[in-house]
Each structure stands twice: as structure tokens, then as C-alpha cells.
Amino acid sequence: MKVFNSLTRREESLAPLADNTVRFYTCGPTVYNFAHIGNFRAYTFEDILRRVIQFNGMKVKQVMNLTDVDDKTIRGANAAGVALTDYTKTYKDAFFADLKKLNIQPAEVYPAATDHIPEMIALVEKLVEKGVAYKSDDGSVYFAVTKFPGYGKLAHIDFDNQRTGARCAADEYDKENVGDFALWKAWEESDGPVGWDSPWGRGRPGWHIECSAMSMKYLGETFDLHTGGIDNLFPHHENEIAQAEAATGKEFVKTWMHCAHLKVNGEKMSKSAGNFFTLRDLLEKGWSGREIRYVLVNAHYRQGLNFAFTALEDARKSLERIDRCVDALTAAANGVAAGETPDWAAKCLDDFAAAVNDDLNTPKAFAALFELVRHANAYLGERGTGNGERGTGNGEPSAILDVFKRMDSVLGVIFFGKAAKAEVPSEIQALLDQRAEARKAKNWAESDRLRDEIAAAGWLVKDSKDGQSVTKK
Ligand code: AMP
Ligand code: ZN
């Protein structure tokens, strides 16, 4: 599989350094608020990435950090008058619930910054020992960018025009303000009760050191892949490289990947611009997790994506089309094991594989999926006319369904199995559970009554040998 490496600015093969396992680090949420769907554009891109790696027979070890201490979380906790850990817990829990709604596969490790302060202090100490970091008068520690010759290699910064000796205390700044950045921030009045003891006095880590320390702890000093939204490229990822490579003398990461922004009216969706929708906002408006996921993954990750409700409407129609085809195939398969795959279905799968292996070209991958739908509908239509032995008991419908499943192992929008169940609201699930009980007790009248009640709430129950299933009417 080939991907675009932001470091070399070329498409390159992604081949793991060891154990057929791609070790990768993704910058996770700052848990001071509910994540917005712009953030989820980054997380769904990373989900597609890990699924394509697995599609190609490789394994993944993904680490996603939770930034639970920084300028924003401290401000939020102190304004609310609650302990930092209590404040961030609400948003950590919400984040994991949102990941499930979007059918995002969990990462292997979710380290929280506040659980790794000793590792961060050790890394800062190493940088001070090596002479690339220094303590300032107020007790903060800064990284001296001019002491690390590779500084600027990811963002391709022109070093000649750089201000030297300037310092930037904030975690986020732009290229015009390149300067020595904070590794450790001395305690200030506004930090309130938040702080840790260190060799430089009481304080807290800078945002950038967090990711260098935690990624190397879980993935080693050199690992395969590091990802994030394009806004993370500078200064965050540039600084991560500087911190890690200055400390170890080794290459930090082979491949860097960045997704473009989700925009609203041409502007980046962000908390600070106030132009954002959280996942909850959209769910409350009646859109489902799979419809939202569809919109996010349907565009190529390096292309800007403008958020619009018309895209959600299109997603709903497209998913209905896929569902109808998959349901008809399931009925035609009639439980018969998969037989031979028709040539046209095999060709669609080849096209799909070529698309996702070409820098995660999801628009082309979706085109291959719809080609499969088109062929499958034609195939089912022909079977419907009763022309001969085609499809009857020969396992072809099951084989075609397997192609859908293989594609969905990457796209994750058709929601086979558990995920589909997870989309059923809890009150409907409760009625379904009662109905299952009634059927077990052979109380058919009660079973029928519950079926009607579920139907009145807008869900259609079907019974098969595997039990009952529901679809939205
Ligand atoms: P944050 O919580 O701001 O640190 O962001 C978490 C992740 O979401 C990072 O990888 C960001 O680059 C990414 N991100 C933030 N806003 C957007 C957006 N509008 N579109 C795509 N990715 C974003
Ligand atoms: Zn990070």
C-alpha cells in the first residue's frame, strides 16, 4: 500500500519496520469539551488508515493520546471550580461513546498525559543534559530550536528568516512566531491547584513534550507512522520531532500523514471560530452515526471537505441503496455457504483494493462499491426472472455478500453485526429483549403485540433462524 508522506512529500510504500506490525501514533483529543465533527474527520481518516493496513494483512499497534492537561483544560476546570481530573473525565467518557457511534475501531493504547508526567520530566532532563534545552528565569524550560539542526524539516521552514532567541510560551502559534518553545511551564497563579514537582520547581508539561514522551514509551524510539490533522503539522509535530531526535539521536518517525480540514463555508471548523457541530448536535437532529461517518470518509483525506446537510441527505440515500441490495442478497443467499465469486464481483474488489492502496483513495473505493451494487442488482433481477440455475443454492449470493463484507472491513459504513445493533435506540432494544423473552416462552400473542409496538415506533422486526432483527421503516 502506498501513502503520501508529509515529510518527504512523496507517495511511498508503507512497510512496517518489524513484526509485520505498523506502529503508529495519532494525536488525540484535548478533553476540555465535546469533540466536534472536524476532529472526527481526523479520527475517521485514521480509522480508515488502520483498516486498510489490516486489509493488507498487516497488524497495527495504534496509540492515541488524551491531552488532559494544557492551557484549555486548566482554564475550563478552574472556571468550573472542579478538579482537573473530574473535569476531563466527562469529556473522555463522551469521546469514547462518540467513537463507538462512528464505528471507529479502538486504538490499542489510550495514554492520558497526566499519567505520564515522570516520563515527560525524564525526557526534558535529557534535553537539558544534552544542551538543547535551558531553564528560563521564571522556572520554565525551553527547547532552543537553533541547537537542533533538523528543525523545520517537516514544515519545510526557511531557517534563514527565523527569529533567533525569541520564545513562545503558548502551545499553539504560527510559523511567523517560530521561537524556542516551552517543554515545562512554571506554575502560575491561574493554574490554581494544577501542578507537579520537578527538578525546575512546580509546574506542568508543555503540550508538545507529551506526545514525544508517550509515543516513544509505547512504540519505541523509532516507529513507523504518525498522523494528525494538518493543523498539527506545525508547530506540534515539528516540535515532537525536535524533542525526540535531539534526545535519542535517532530518526523518530518514518512516515507522517495529515488530513485536510473539515470546513464550514470555506473556514476551518473549530471551537474558537464557533462554527462547529458536535457529533451529539447531529445525532439530536436525527442523523445516524453511520450517515455522519459516510460523509466524513467519502472524501479523500487530503482534500478539503466542506460540511453541508445536503451531504448527509445524499449519504442517507446512498446507504439506503446499499442496504436494499445487501438485504436482497441476504435473502437470496438463504443461508447457503459462499460458493464461487462471479468475475464482476471479483473485479470490483480488485478495483476497491487498488483504490484504497493508492493513498487511501476512498472516493474511488466507494465508486467500486457502487459498481458492485449495480452489478448485484442486475444479477438479482435476472435471478428474479427465474432464468435457470443462477444463484439458486449455488452459493453465489453469499460469495457476493462476502465481497461487500470485505469492502466494509475498510469503509465500516454498512455496519454488519454488532455495530448495526448498537444503532438501535435503547428503548427499542428493551422492547426487542422483551419480545425475545416472550418468544422463548412461546407467548405468541405477546410477541405480536410487541412487534406492533415496535412498528408504531418506526422499526420493522424480522424473524429468522438466527433470531429477530430490526430495520428502520
Ligand atoms: P484538538 O482536540 O484540537 O487537539 O484536535 C484533535 C485532532 O483533530 C487533531 O488531529 C486536529 O488536527 C484535528 N482537527 C481539529 N479541527 C479539525 C478540522 N476542522 N478538520 C479536520 N481535523 C481537525
Ligand atoms: Zn500530539
Side-chain angles (χ1 to χ4, degrees):
M1 80 183 262
K2 286 197 158 185
V3 297
F4 183 85
N5 185 351
S6 310
L7 184 65
T8 58
R9 301 198 170 172
R10 277 199 312 260
E11 259 197 33
E12 293 170 354
S13 290
L14 186 68
L17 289 164
D19 316 324
N20 195 34
T21 303
V22 176
R23 289 173 173 76
F24 83 110
Y25 188 87
T26 53
C27 290
T30 305
V31 280
Y32 74 111
N33 212 325
F34 296 112
H36 59 68
I37 55 161
N39 300 127
F40 286 112
R41 177 164 205 211
Y43 308 134
T44 48
F45 140 64
E46 287 149 353
D47 181 56
I48 293 284
L49 176 60
R50 64 173 281 143
R51 286 164 175 266
V52 173
I53 293 168
Q54 295 172 106
F55 181 84
N56 282 288
M58 295 178 274
K59 287 184 277 194
V60 285
K61 179 172 182 186
Q62 181 187 3
V63 177
M64 179 183 278
N65 67 301
L66 303 169
T67 299
D68 60 353
V69 55
D70 80 323
D71 301 350
K72 292 180 276 197
T73 41
I74 293 174
R75 216 182 298 133
N78 291 346
V82 294
L84 183 66
T85 42
D86 294 335
Y87 182 74
T88 55
K89 185 172 185 309
T90 306
Y91 301 112
K92 283 182 192 172
D93 292 349
F95 177 67
F96 290 116
D98 287 357
L99 290 182
K100 275 201 190 135
K101 284 272 179 222
L102 289 173
N103 198 25
I104 292 176
Q105 291 184 348
E108 279 62 30
V109 192
Y110 287 106
T114 52
D115 293 333
H116 296 80
I117 305 290
E119 285 87 343
M120 295 178 211
I121 291 176
L123 185 55
V124 178
E125 278 187 301
K126 208 165 172 184
L127 293 169
V128 174
E129 268 165 36
K130 296 224 166 189
V132 289
Y134 61 91
K135 184 176 168 179
S136 66
D137 295 342
D138 73 342
S140 295
V141 181
Y142 282 87
F143 187 98
V145 290
T146 49
K147 297 267 175 68
F148 178 65
Y151 196 81
K153 65 181 173 185
L154 180 65
H156 297 246
I157 294 173
D158 176 4
F159 234 89
D160 294 341
N161 293 328
Q162 212 167 288
R163 304 180 313 155
T164 51
R167 274 182 214 150
C168 192
D171 283 331
E172 292 173 68
Y173 50 90
D174 53 30
K175 280 190 200 170
E176 281 64 51
N177 293 313
V178 173
D180 295 351
F181 59 90
L183 299 170
W184 185 261
K185 301 190 185 196
W187 183 86
E188 292 174 358
E189 212 51 57
S190 58
D191 290 347
V194 180
W196 289 265
D197 290 329
S198 80
W200 315 283
R202 194 165 172 76
R204 61 180 168 100
W207 173 38
H208 315 297
I209 199 72
E210 172 192 318
C211 287
S212 296
M214 294 196 289
S215 61
M216 290 197 284
K217 171 165 180 177
Y218 293 100
L219 299 170
E221 292 181 341
T222 301
F223 56 91
D224 297 290
L225 180 61
H226 195 314
T227 63
I230 192 75
D231 57 318
N232 283 162
L233 193 147
F234 185 85
H236 186 49
H237 291 163
E238 191 71 59
N239 293 354
E240 277 191 46
I241 294 176
Q243 295 162 151
E245 297 193 354
T248 67
K250 295 178 191 160
E251 186 182 15
F252 178 42
V253 173
K254 294 280 173 201
T255 305
W256 290 84
M257 291 173 73
H258 295 95
C259 72
H261 283 145
L262 182 70
K263 298 180 184 174
V264 182
N265 297 327
E267 250 188 76
K268 178 192 169 191
M269 181 177 285
S270 69
K271 302 254 166 66
S272 52
N275 61 352
F276 64 92
F277 290 102
T278 63
L279 183 64
R280 276 131 221 272
D281 293 336
L282 297 183
L283 295 173
E284 272 169 27
K285 285 180 193 293
W287 301 102
S288 67
R290 67 195 293 236
E291 287 161 349
I292 299 161
R293 179 182 170 94
Y294 188 103
V295 171
L296 294 176
V297 303
N298 189 29
H300 190 262
Y301 77 96
R302 286 199 291 122
Q303 220 103 71
L305 171 60
N306 211 35
F307 175 75
F309 283 97
T310 48
L312 282 167
E313 283 159 19
D314 291 346
R316 181 166 288 178
K317 281 186 209 127
S318 301
L319 283 166
E320 278 167 7
R321 184 148 182 254
I322 298 169
D323 287 350
R324 270 198 305 275
C325 179
V326 167
D327 286 350
L329 274 171
T330 307
N334 201 21
V336 176
E340 227 174 282
T341 308
D343 287 348
W344 50 264
K347 161 90 170 57
C348 289
L349 186 57
D350 285 348
D351 292 347
F352 179 91
V356 293
N357 286 336
D358 179 16
D359 194 27
L360 317 182
N361 194 330
T362 47
K364 268 197 175 164
F366 271 101
L369 171 66
F370 280 105
E371 191 61 12
L372 182 66
V373 170
R374 202 175 60 77
H375 277 290
N377 284 341
Y379 168 85
L380 291 165
E382 277 178 39
R383 280 182 84 242
T385 63
N387 75 350
E389 67 277 16
R390 256 195 129 177
T392 37
N394 67 6
E396 271 183 351
S398 291
I400 300 163
L401 269 178
D402 282 349
V403 175
F404 274 97
K405 286 180 188 166
R406 182 97 176 107
M407 290 182 179
D408 201 50
S409 73
V410 171
L411 299 175
V413 290
I414 307 177
F415 283 15
F416 283 98
K418 282 194 193 125
K421 238 184 138 196
E423 286 224 302
V424 177
S426 53
E427 61 276 14
I428 301 294
Q429 190 56 51
L431 293 173
L432 282 169
D433 292 345
Q434 281 178 38
R435 187 167 179 269
E437 283 301 311
R439 292 176 71 76
K440 230 160 96 202
K442 301 202 185 314
N443 185 348
W444 307 120
E446 176 67 356
S447 161
D448 287 350
R449 191 193 67 74
L450 284 162
R451 188 194 55 215
D452 294 345
E453 192 178 335
I454 294 166
W459 293 78
L460 211 60
V461 185
K462 278 186 207 149
D463 296 305
S464 73
K465 64 173 178 23
D466 298 327
Q468 45 180 4
S469 60
V470 278
T471 45
K472 220 166 171 186
K473 282 212 282 191

